[in-house]
Amino acid sequence: MSVDDPNQVKAAEILLELNDISVTHDQTPIIEHIDLTLHRGEIVTVIGPNGAGKSTLIKTALGIIRPDQGTVKRPGSLSVGYVPQTVTLDSALPLTVMRFLKLSPNTGLEDLINTLSQVGADGLLDASMHILSSGELRRILLARALLKKPDILILDEPTAGVDITGQAELYHLIQLIRDQYQCGVLLVSHDLHIVMAATDRVFCLNRHLCCSGAPEQVQEHPEYLAIFGPQAPAEIGIYRHHHDHDHNLHGDVCDHG
Amino acid sequence: MDEFLLRALIGGILVALVSAPLGCLVVWQRMAYFGSTLSHAALLGIALGLLLELDVRLTILLVSVLIALLLMVIQRFRTLSSDTILGILAHASLAFGLLALTMMPTLRVDLMAYLFGDILTINWQDIRWIAGGGILITFVLIKIWKPLLSTIIHADLAGVDGYNQERLQLVFLLLLSIAVAVSMQVVGLLLIVSLLIIPAATARMFSSSPEQMLGWAAAVGVLAVISGLGISMTLDTPAGPSIVACGSVFFFLSLIGSSVGAFGTNSR
């Protein structure tokens, strides 16, 4: 981890701590021996191919799945915002954006309008949930999580099905939210390009933790390259530039779980 | 008005009102097949009630709850899809119900009345059952409405908000079992699901919020009961099927109405 990263300095408070987590399903291990911590004010991204156990990891962190081994530590006083990948509403259920957001406990109308404009979804308040584009739906789900004033924000594939420009906007938004709410952000993704540029630490997951560290370090790690191939980091730098090539090579970032 | 007709009207309207919210919840969760399973299982309940000389409503409730619990347990294994399991439970309980009925030395009760309902023979005691069940169902539904709606929309999201999907689901299934048990006499076991589903489906065309849909479902259900009973009186047709037939006519009218409306908006 780079010491000069400003986010590392204020990242003292540990919001979430996974210790030696293993989850099995029907005797098949889904994730094994995962250690992961999330500090206040940092964005941690878990990347991995399909079937790597990313969603399982998130659900374990949320407390929805109980791990077969290991512990999840999360102070009970912290509020958790969860942004699922998508919501598949049955078309038989009529639902407006406002009604959907009001399902979150203790939600006032003013709060709701402010949050919607914050995520760039003004004017959608009275829209039907059924006609939203996937980008709009993602923003509404983000708004629902923000209404809880989260200390921890957990996002599952926040950009799946959103085009490249929309993805960049969403990641920018996530950074703004981190700054404003001073929360810790844990997100998983299988697309690397923009993720890498907008994140403080990366965990590369393929059932076990392959490697972890700052994005610039992880992208040169042999295990990362073995999974994602050399073409992967081509598009890094939408937010960061390529001028920081003075870091150490492979060995230092290895952090086997 | 003859008193028997008044009783039929009151009983029918009460059932329509109770069915509205439950029917919407069934439709939203694509659980129509579960409703059918409960109604099939109710025959086993009737057989048990007659054998043990208990109130059939109690034994129907007992069997329905048992089926609901069994379904939840089997679903945990997830080897078979739930519609397969429901199909097995439905027809197994139907078969056992029929077996139990034939084992009785003398069939003292008209089975047809249970299968197709006989709202015109409803008495004040029956109405008290329906009203009592309805009040209980309404009270519980008001208490769990928001959590239940949350879990239907997204179980994990609701889970993070602290709502336990499995527990809420179980409560909902219990309420559905109670509704089936108390309203069986109005339309009968074979048609009971239609009174849950048809008004809710009709209401969908006019609704933009869950609660609105519930209101419209209640209105359509009440209208179906009144017009069905009217037709039954004038044409001397069986009451239960008349009510369901009226409801389905409303449904198809609303379908036509909404597609004509959509066509009108498109051409503008």
Side-chain angles (χ1 to χ4, degrees):
Chain A
M1 265 170 265
S2 51
V3 188
D4 53 7
D5 189 343
N7 292 310
Q8 294 297 319
V9 178
K10 56 188 169 185
E13 186 188 350
I14 293 180
L15 300 175
L16 179 68
E17 193 174 0
L18 306 190
N19 281 320
D20 195 28
I21 294 290
S22 296
V23 176
T24 53
H25 182 68
D26 285 344
Q27 273 121 37
T28 316
I30 309 294
I31 47 176
E32 293 178 299
H33 308 299
I34 306 291
D35 292 309
L36 192 153
T37 48
L38 177 69
H39 301 87
R40 189 175 288 282
E42 72 172 342
I43 298 179
V44 168
T45 303
V46 177
I47 53 172
N50 286 328
K54 300 187 297 289
S55 292
T56 304
L57 180 61
I58 272 204
K59 287 182 183 176
T60 311
L62 286 166
I64 295 169
I65 292 179
R66 199 174 300 174
D68 297 287
Q69 189 198 319
T71 53
V72 179
K73 270 187 226 157
R74 196 183 68 208
S77 56
L78 296 181
S79 137
V80 182
Y82 170 46
V83 182
Q85 219 177 102
T86 188
V87 168
T88 37
L89 269 184
D90 194 297
S91 55
L93 176 56
L95 199 68
T96 61
V97 168
M98 175 152 72
R99 189 71 183 81
F100 173 70
L101 291 177
K102 278 193 165 178
L103 284 173
S104 198
N106 318 317
T107 308
L109 187 63
E110 197 179 330
D111 222 11
L112 211 147
I113 292 168
N114 290 339
T115 312
L116 268 189
S117 94
Q118 190 182 5
V119 299
D122 336 51
L124 287 178
L125 196 60
D126 294 316
S128 160
M129 288 287 287
H130 296 285
I131 58 157
L132 299 179
S133 72
S134 60
E136 286 171 335
L137 182 61
R138 218 56 61 87
R139 285 161 194 270
I140 299 301
L141 290 173
L142 191 56
R144 191 185 193 274
L146 292 184
L147 282 169
K148 298 180 72 182
K149 309 261 179 296
D151 298 295
I152 304 170
L153 185 62
I154 298 185
L155 304 99
D156 193 354
E157 303 273 6
T159 57
V162 179
D163 62 31
I164 287 284
T165 350
Q167 290 183 13
E169 280 171 20
L170 269 172
Y171 276 110
H172 187 54
L173 185 57
I174 291 170
Q175 287 180 310
L176 289 179
I177 286 166
R178 182 265 313 265
D179 295 340
Q180 188 190 333
Y181 288 77
Q182 276 303 303
C183 55
V185 179
L186 173 66
L187 58 93
V188 302
S189 186
H190 67 263
D191 73 79
L192 319 145
H193 313 316
I194 302 170
V195 176
M196 294 290 267
T199 198
D200 299 314
R201 276 195 299 149
V202 176
F203 285 80
C204 181
L205 180 77
N206 194 5
R207 237 179 54 197
H208 67 286
L209 221 47
C210 301
C211 51
S212 65
E216 295 84 358
Q217 295 171 313
V218 167
Q219 66 175 321
E220 300 194 359
H221 192 275
E223 281 210 55
Y224 168 83
L225 290 173
I227 294 170
F228 293 104
Q231 91 288 352
E235 281 187 52
I236 194 169
I238 289 190
Y239 293 110
R240 277 175 201 174
H241 300 292
H242 269 293
H243 60 243
D244 51 354
H245 271 254
D246 51 348
H247 53 73
N248 294 329
L249 287 177
H250 316 159
D252 293 354
V253 287
C254 188
D255 191 17
H256 282 289
Chain B
M1 194 190 291
D2 292 322
E3 204 192 302
F4 78 94
L5 191 56
L6 181 70
R7 283 196 303 257
L9 261 180
I10 293 174
I13 288 172
L14 281 177
V15 167
L17 293 178
V18 175
S19 303
L22 292 175
C24 289
L25 288 165
V26 165
V27 168
W28 294 336
Q29 298 180 82
R30 306 179 183 217
M31 284 178 65
Y33 203 44
F34 181 78
S36 306
T37 302
L38 276 192
S39 66
H40 279 68
L43 191 73
L44 181 59
I46 290 170
L48 281 179
L50 297 178
L51 270 175
L52 306 173
E53 295 182 4
L54 291 168
D55 192 309
V56 289
R57 275 170 290 237
L58 282 179
T59 47
I60 288 177
L61 190 60
L62 206 75
V63 172
S64 308
V65 170
L66 215 65
I67 294 283
L69 288 176
L70 213 57
L71 177 71
M72 290 196 102
V73 171
I74 298 178
Q75 258 179 344
R76 287 203 170 173
F77 296 105
R78 290 214 196 126
T79 324
L80 296 169
S81 72
S82 57
D83 69 327
T84 304
I85 297 165
L86 280 174
I88 294 169
L89 288 178
H91 296 102
S93 51
L94 187 63
F96 279 109
L98 288 170
L99 284 180
L101 282 174
T102 48
M103 278 183 347
M104 279 188 289
T106 49
L107 202 58
R108 289 152 296 177
V109 186
D110 180 14
L111 192 58
M112 292 296 276
Y114 288 112
L115 290 180
F116 295 103
D118 198 352
I119 193 174
L120 297 178
T121 63
I122 203 168
N123 60 37
W124 290 113
Q125 179 66 22
D126 298 326
I127 288 178
R128 275 194 286 275
W129 270 99
I130 298 173
I135 289 168
L136 179 69
I137 289 169
T138 311
F139 182 74
V140 175
L141 270 186
I142 289 172
K143 284 214 86 126
I144 66 167
W145 184 251
K146 192 167 156 177
L148 189 57
L149 202 55
S150 296
T151 58
I152 291 172
I153 291 166
H154 199 293
D156 288 342
L157 210 47
V160 174
D161 281 342
Y163 302 139
N164 183 329
Q165 188 213 6
E166 224 170 41
R167 203 179 306 156
L168 286 162
Q169 190 68 17
L170 189 63
V171 173
F172 169 66
L173 294 181
L174 283 179
L175 295 183
L176 202 58
S177 305
I178 295 173
V180 168
V182 298
S183 60
M184 158 209 69
Q185 201 171 2
V186 174
V187 281
L189 296 178
L190 289 181
L191 295 177
I192 213 157
V193 181
S194 52
L195 212 53
L196 288 168
I197 294 171
I198 293 174
T202 312
R204 175 62 182 101
M205 318 290 171
F206 314 110
S207 314
S208 57
S209 82
E211 292 74 18
Q212 215 178 356
M213 180 159 157
L214 208 138
W216 278 110
V220 172
V222 168
L223 209 61
V225 165
I226 294 173
S227 49
L229 275 177
I231 287 173
S232 168
M233 285 295 101
T234 42
L235 301 180
D236 197 23
T237 51
S242 304
I243 292 172
V244 174
C246 282
S248 50
V249 168
F250 294 151
F251 171 71
F252 286 112
L253 284 180
S254 80
L255 261 191
I256 295 168
S258 69
S259 53
V260 167
F263 184 73
T265 347
N266 286 344
S267 58
R268 228 172 275 146

